[in-house]
Amino acid sequence: MKNLILVGFMGTGKTTVGAALAASLGLAHTDLDTAIVDKEGRSIPKLFEERGETYFRDVESAELSRLLNEGPQVLTTGGGVVLREQNVKVMLERGIVIALHATVEELIRRLKNDTARPLLATGVAERVTTLMEERAGAYDFAPIQVDTTGKSLEAIVEEIKQRVVESTEDGKQ
């Protein structure tokens, strides 16, 4: 079994789906953002505030590479991990990448009360729309694409498992 790496815009369900997928497969679940918080000893909003986004992205890249060397697991990432080409390359080399998607309306609904995301500090609807435009196509590199809009957690997990099996049988991964 390879690493299964979930990418996608914030609010698509990566962490929730990743935990359920890992439990279903009997694999460890690691959340990249949680690993960064543990390593740095402060929250991501604090890291952005005190050290800036460039510092955060540097730490994120280093932790991503380190975690993907730890063996088969389900790794969930922050939405911006794909902004660096080196991260895309390492994810494709060391696992099966699954991109989760949802409609703009669904993302706004899911994120409207979230105060823990530094990139949403200026207003959820406006920032989600702007960031989605800026990141258009950023998750297209993932061989497996799954829309989470209006689906149950169980249905999403089953769809991912089926698509992973199909991709490995087809020799795509």
Side-chain angles (χ1 to χ4, degrees), residues 64-106:
L64 174 69
S65 186
R66 182 186 71 78
L67 289 169
L68 288 175
N69 283 331
E70 291 187 353
Q73 65 187 305
V74 175
L75 179 68
T76 52
T77 65
V81 73
V82 300
L83 300 176
R84 288 191 173 175
E85 185 61 35
Q86 72 191 53
N87 293 343
V88 170
K89 184 178 179 200
V90 77
M91 287 187 286
L92 288 170
E93 288 172 352
R94 298 187 196 163
I96 299 172
V97 185
I98 302 124
L100 301 184
H101 301 277
T103 64
V104 173
E105 297 78 19
E106 180 68 10

Side-chain angles (χ1 to χ4, degrees), residues 44-137:
I44 290 173
K46 274 282 186 212
L47 274 174
F48 267 71
E49 178 187 324
E50 295 174 2
R51 304 296 301 267
E53 185 173 0
T54 300
Y55 177 83
F56 171 77
R57 297 294 174 202
D58 290 344
V59 172
E60 181 179 57
S61 295
E63 279 298 287
L64 174 69
S65 186
R66 182 186 71 78
L67 289 169
L68 288 175
N69 283 331
E70 291 187 353
Q73 65 187 305
V74 175
L75 179 68
T76 52
T77 65
V81 73
V82 300
L83 300 176
R84 288 191 173 175
E85 185 61 35
Q86 72 191 53
N87 293 343
V88 170
K89 184 178 179 200
V90 77
M91 287 187 286
L92 288 170
E93 288 172 352
R94 298 187 196 163
I96 299 172
V97 185
I98 302 124
L100 301 184
H101 301 277
T103 64
V104 173
E105 297 78 19
E106 180 68 10
L107 293 173
I108 291 168
R109 185 188 67 73
R110 291 178 187 175
L111 296 167
K112 67 183 173 195
N113 297 318
D114 192 333
T115 59
R117 297 177 194 263
L119 293 178
L120 294 182
T122 59
V124 174
E126 179 183 326
R127 286 300 288 154
V128 165
T129 303
T130 301
L131 285 169
M132 283 192 72
E133 288 170 4
E134 290 173 3
R135 294 182 186 174

